[in-house]
């Protein structure tokens, strides 16, 4: 199959590298520098296994070009993988999806399947179809084509593995031709891994499955974070509570880790966009709204708790972890942004360290750059610190020599916002320890 992928961001690049194991894949991006780097085998994002895959298939079954006309005309399945940032009122900003659709309409030369992989609200596939039709009308020609919704469920940090070992592939189709094309496309992957479930739905259902899944997971996190607050008050331990709940197969033990709230480029944005879509349709999604509110409050509660235990004014606070989760350099909507800003506003000086996220983090807090020192490693970070806050649960923090950490710190206060040491009796004895819900 000849597959064309428009957009080499996170989703586009992972999808193209994985699909090039089975098909001939060509990628296009408006950013010429990106295309140049990728053509030379340089991966532009940090993602486990991605660069290896890129170099394995590059110039054999995987190609990068900067000509969208060539991409559209020479391939029979075209994936739209461009960004859908948050718009002004919380809804998804679809301008890039629409621009790409227009280009497809301008250059389409024979029957094709257009696959929407970008995260887009219900109804977008219909709009993509009508934009392409508008362009065909301008060109005064008729060419049959299908628009399919095939949302992605990749997690940053394990994206390649998530696609190769997906729980499910969701394909929203409205024609037999599209159904056939998509099953041929995914056939080799499904043959290789019989655990992957393949589900065909209508286009609208596929679009909604994506948002509903992210909103449900976000709700699960907010739920456990709220129960953690109660656990702390009544003397229960949230780790045991979550474990006990998770043993019920209907609940499951995943996404029940209490912490300082969800971040990243997906949950916050998708939850907002789903609420907005519901509002536009006269539906009040109060559970999803509550999940969003709790996530905001949790960060404020954490800062309040820190400030109630230590007067941070003129103190040096060490922060371990700036990325929104481990194994990524992504700091978008990371809880670290809010927490660090608030502590600086309260007069603290921050020593920060993250194994991957420091460069990206700097851009979120430029106005406070004089109050934040970026450190070479986790030990330099804690030198003479009055308190240590763990925000991201990287393995290197779990494996740190905490005896050395205590020696280097001025004071021994430890806020473990991911509960990585909550079961470690020695650390809880050696430090003035505060976890979440423990
Ligand atoms: C999320 C979804 O998990 C993917 O299925 C989806 O494809 C993706 O969004 C997307 O829409 O593109 P991702 O944003 O990479 O993936 O991150 P997650 O691993 O889901 O974590 C999100 C946030 O929740 C992180 O800040 C993490 O620390 C937090 N989290 C997660 C918790 O606080 N507790 C948990 O138990 C789990």
């Amino acid at each position: 199959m000849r597959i064309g992928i428009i957009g080499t961001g996170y989703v586009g690049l992972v999808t193209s590298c994985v699909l090039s194991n089975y098909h001939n894949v060509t990628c296009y991006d408006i950013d010429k520098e990106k295309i140049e780097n990728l053509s030379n085998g340089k991966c532009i994002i940090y993602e486990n296994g991605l660069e290896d895959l890129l170099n394995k298939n590059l110039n054999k079954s995987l190609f990068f070009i900067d000509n969208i006309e060539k991409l559209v005309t020479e391939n029979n399945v075209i994936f739209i993988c461009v960004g859908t940032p948050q718009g002004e009122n919380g809804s998804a900003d679809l301008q890039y999806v629409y621009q790409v659709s227009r280009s497809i309409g301008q250059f389409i030369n024979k029957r094709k399947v257009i696959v929407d992989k970008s995260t887009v609200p219900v109804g977008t596939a219909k709009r993509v179809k009508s934009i392409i039709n508008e362009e065909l009308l301008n060109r005064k020609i008729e060419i049959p084509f299908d628009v399919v919704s095939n949302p992605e469920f990749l997690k940053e940090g394990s994206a390649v593995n998530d696609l190769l070992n997906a729980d499910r592939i969701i394909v929203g189709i409205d024609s037999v031709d599209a159904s056939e094309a998509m099953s041929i496309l995914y056939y080799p992957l499904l043959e290789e891994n019989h655990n992957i479930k393949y589900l065909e739905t209508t286009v609208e259902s596929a679009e909604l499955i994506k948002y509903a899944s992210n909103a449900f997971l976000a709700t699960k996190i907010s739920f456990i974070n709220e129960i953690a607050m109660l656990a702390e008050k009544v003397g229960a331990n949230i780790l045991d509570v979550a474990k006990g709940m998770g043993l019920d197969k209907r609940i499951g033990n995943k996404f029940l880790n209490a912490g300082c709230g969800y971040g990243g480029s997906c949950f916050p944005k998708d939850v907002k966009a789903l609420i907005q879509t519901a509002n536009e349709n006269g539906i009040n999604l109060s559970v999803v709204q509550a999940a969003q509110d709790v996530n905001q409050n949790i960060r404020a509660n954490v800062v309040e708790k820190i400030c109630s235990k230590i007067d941070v004014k003129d103190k040096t606070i060490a922060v371990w972890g700036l990325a929104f989760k481990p194994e990524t350099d992504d700091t978008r909507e990371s809880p670290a942004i809010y927490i660090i800003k608030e502590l600086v506003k309260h007069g603290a000086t921050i020593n920060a360290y993250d194994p991957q996220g420091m460069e990206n983090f700097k851009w979120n807090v430029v106005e406070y750059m004089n109050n934040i020192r970026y450190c070479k490693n986790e030990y330099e970070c804690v030198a003479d610190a009055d308190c240590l806050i763990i925000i991201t649960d990287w393995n290197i923090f779990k494996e740190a020599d905490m005896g050395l950490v205590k020696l280097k710190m001025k004071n021994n206060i430890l806020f473990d916002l991911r509960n990585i040491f909550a079961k470690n009796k020695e650390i809880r004895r050696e430090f003035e320890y505060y976890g979440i819900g423990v």
Side-chain angles (χ1 to χ4, degrees):
M1 236 181 186
R2 294 187 64 90
I3 298 173
I5 301 219
I6 304 179
T8 57
Y10 200 78
V11 173
L13 193 55
V14 173
T15 307
S16 43
C17 287
V18 169
L19 288 183
S20 65
N21 276 346
Y22 317 105
H23 302 285
N24 193 310
V25 179
T26 307
C27 307
Y28 162 86
D29 200 291
I30 200 165
D31 183 339
K32 292 200 164 131
E33 203 182 318
K34 255 189 196 175
I35 291 296
E36 174 90 29
N37 279 328
L38 289 166
S39 308
N40 290 317
K42 271 192 227 137
C43 203
I44 40 179
I45 49 171
Y46 169 79
E47 185 63 50
N48 213 355
L50 191 59
E51 196 158 87
D52 291 346
L53 209 48
L54 168 70
N55 283 295
K56 185 182 120 202
N57 295 337
L58 187 64
N59 297 331
K60 294 181 194 112
S61 54
L62 179 61
F63 306 89
F64 295 90
I65 57 172
D66 60 7
N67 181 333
I68 193 165
E69 177 172 0
K70 198 166 151 61
L71 184 117
V72 173
T73 50
E74 292 183 359
N75 293 288
N76 41 19
V77 179
I78 315 283
F79 277 78
I80 302 179
C81 296
V82 294
T84 51
Q86 193 173 299
E88 268 169 22
N89 58 358
S91 61
D93 176 352
L94 298 174
Q95 59 169 314
Y96 305 112
V97 173
Y98 294 159
Q99 271 164 25
V100 163
S101 310
R102 217 158 272 294
S103 303
I104 294 172
Q106 280 157 7
F107 302 125
I108 187 169
N109 54 340
K110 55 180 187 244
R111 179 166 205 129
K112 298 194 191 272
V113 177
I114 316 301
V115 185
D116 205 341
K117 215 170 211 345
S118 301
T119 298
V120 290
V122 183
T124 306
K126 265 203 185 113
R127 180 74 191 117
V128 166
K129 198 168 207 167
S130 67
I131 291 174
I132 297 175
N133 273 326
E134 274 164 36
E135 290 301 321
L136 288 174
L137 202 65
N138 286 345
R139 290 166 63 193
K140 299 191 176 54
I141 50 171
E142 265 180 44
I143 298 173
F145 67 94
D146 293 288
V147 179
V148 169
S149 166
N150 175 215
E152 58 83 19
F153 300 101
L154 312 174
K155 294 187 292 300
E156 288 191 23
S158 58
V160 172
N161 187 51
D162 285 346
L163 192 46
L164 288 168
N165 298 296
D167 289 333
R168 78 297 209 192
I169 292 171
I170 304 289
V171 177
I173 41 115
D174 62 2
S175 82
V176 177
D177 282 347
S179 163
E180 235 168 51
M182 294 311 285
S183 19
I184 294 171
L185 192 143
Y186 281 117
Y187 179 77
L189 180 58
L190 295 167
E191 269 300 288
E192 212 173 83
N193 187 340
H194 291 280
N195 292 324
I196 303 177
K197 305 273 182 300
Y198 185 83
L199 179 66
E200 252 183 28
T201 67
T202 63
V203 173
E204 286 75 14
S205 299
E207 289 173 332
L208 191 53
I209 285 169
K210 166 70 190 188
Y211 278 92
S213 300
N214 274 3
F216 186 80
L217 291 171
T219 306
K220 217 173 165 188
I221 297 169
S222 281
F223 181 86
I224 203 69
N225 281 338
E226 220 170 27
I227 297 293
M229 284 197 282
L230 180 60
E232 225 167 279
K233 291 276 181 226
V234 300
N237 184 328
I238 197 64
L239 299 179
D240 295 334
V241 175
K243 193 170 176 187
M245 286 170 64
L247 288 173
D248 184 330
K249 288 196 184 70
R250 293 168 304 173
I251 297 173
N253 59 7
K254 306 261 166 59
F255 275 69
L256 280 183
N257 297 315
C260 49
Y262 60 78
S265 63
C266 307
F267 284 177
K269 172 171 79 79
D270 294 352
V271 165
K272 259 199 201 109
L274 183 62
I275 293 170
Q276 183 63 24
T277 302
N279 288 345
E280 282 161 17
N281 286 280
I283 303 283
N284 179 18
L285 291 186
S286 51
V287 172
V288 183
Q289 181 65 53
Q292 179 176 265
D293 296 344
V294 169
N295 200 53
Q296 290 302 325
N297 295 342
I298 222 87
R299 295 169 186 198
N301 288 347
V302 161
V303 173
E304 213 179 288
K305 184 161 147 189
I306 295 168
C307 294
S308 73
K309 304 291 179 197
I310 168 174
D311 176 7
V312 300
K313 190 163 176 2
D314 299 327
K315 300 281 181 357
T316 301
I317 311 282
V319 172
W320 280 1
L322 305 172
F324 82 98
K325 66 173 193 177
E327 302 304 325
T328 175
D329 61 355
D330 195 340
T331 59
R332 283 176 286 179
E333 298 278 341
S334 169
I337 301 171
Y338 176 87
I339 295 169
I340 287 180
K341 276 186 181 173
E342 285 303 305
L343 292 175
V344 170
K345 280 188 211 158
H346 282 83
T349 299
I350 307 292
N351 279 358
Y353 175 68
D354 188 284
Q356 295 289 342
M358 292 203 287
E359 273 317 306
N360 285 339
F361 189 78
K362 287 176 186 164
W363 297 104
N364 296 293
V365 288
V366 260
E367 69 272 40
Y368 300 107
M369 62 187 206
N370 294 333
N371 308 83
I372 305 171
R373 199 166 69 89
Y374 296 94
C375 301
K376 280 209 269 313
N377 56 47
E378 64 275 34
Y379 299 110
E380 184 188 294
C381 180
V382 293
D384 290 326
D386 293 278
C387 136
L388 166 62
I389 306 175
I390 302 172
I391 299 188
T392 318
D393 41 348
W394 285 93
N395 277 337
I396 64 152
F397 301 148
K398 293 181 188 167
E399 291 156 8
D401 177 346
M402 292 306 282
L404 181 61
V405 168
K406 192 181 168 197
L407 271 179
K408 283 181 163 279
M409 285 176 71
K410 199 197 283 176
N411 243 314
N412 66 341
I413 306 175
L414 171 57
F415 289 94
D416 177 5
L417 305 185
R418 296 287 176 184
N419 284 341
I420 65 176
F421 295 126
K423 290 264 180 198
N424 187 323
K425 288 197 181 106
E426 201 183 326
I427 288 176
R428 295 191 63 164
R429 204 174 38 238
E430 293 297 319
F431 286 83
E432 184 183 326
Y433 179 89
Y434 301 100
I436 298 283
V438 293

